[in-house]
Amino acid sequence: MNHLLLDLKYHWAVFGLAIFKPMVTLNGYPVPVRWGQNVIPVAPGAYHLHVHVPGILPPQVGNADLQVWVAQGQSVAVEYRAPAWSFSPGALGPAPQPWNGLAYQLALLGALLIPLILILVLLGAVLVSIAN
């Protein structure tokens, strides 16, 4: 039996993607999948694989396409990594794939966390000075 072994992943920094179900099409036909390992039975032949995650802005996050050839009696392993930044493309191909947009996402998290840490440090300093 031939299989397409599709591993669908998202980065911890964008854990919100977990609420969205990834969308996969093979030769234009939808295939039911979930995050993680998916075993898709296929006949031998050429396939156009498309993966994206539905979103709000943009409406499709992490578009990625790949041509896959499955020979008789073969299983083909493919990994999809959703981007860490919504406006970056997804990565699709043999494992391991890169986390596209990770630098943007980490910069955004840093830009949000550094001011929060500074506020907490200043608040702690004020509370210590009040206590003395």
Side-chain angles (χ1 to χ4, degrees), residues 112-128:
L112 295 174
L113 289 177
I114 290 171
L116 179 62
I117 291 169
L118 289 175
I119 290 170
L120 292 175
V121 168
L122 289 172
L123 180 61
V126 168
L127 291 176
V128 166

Side-chain angles (χ1 to χ4, degrees), residues 6-32:
L6 181 58
D7 191 11
L8 302 169
K9 299 180 178 184
Y10 60 88
H11 196 274
W12 62 266
V14 285
F15 60 88
L17 284 180
I19 64 172
F20 297 99
K21 189 175 182 180
M23 304 297 289
V24 172
T25 60
L26 268 178
N27 292 344
Y29 294 98
V31 177

Side-chain angles (χ1 to χ4, degrees), residues 50-91:
H50 172 82
V51 184
H52 74 270
V53 182
I56 297 168
L57 186 64
Q60 290 187 356
V61 174
N63 284 314
D65 293 276
L66 181 69
Q67 288 296 123
V68 180
W69 174 258
V70 182
Q72 179 64 37
Q74 180 186 30
S75 291
V76 176
V78 177
E79 179 182 74
Y80 170 79
R81 288 192 181 185
W85 181 255
S86 295
F87 299 100
S88 296

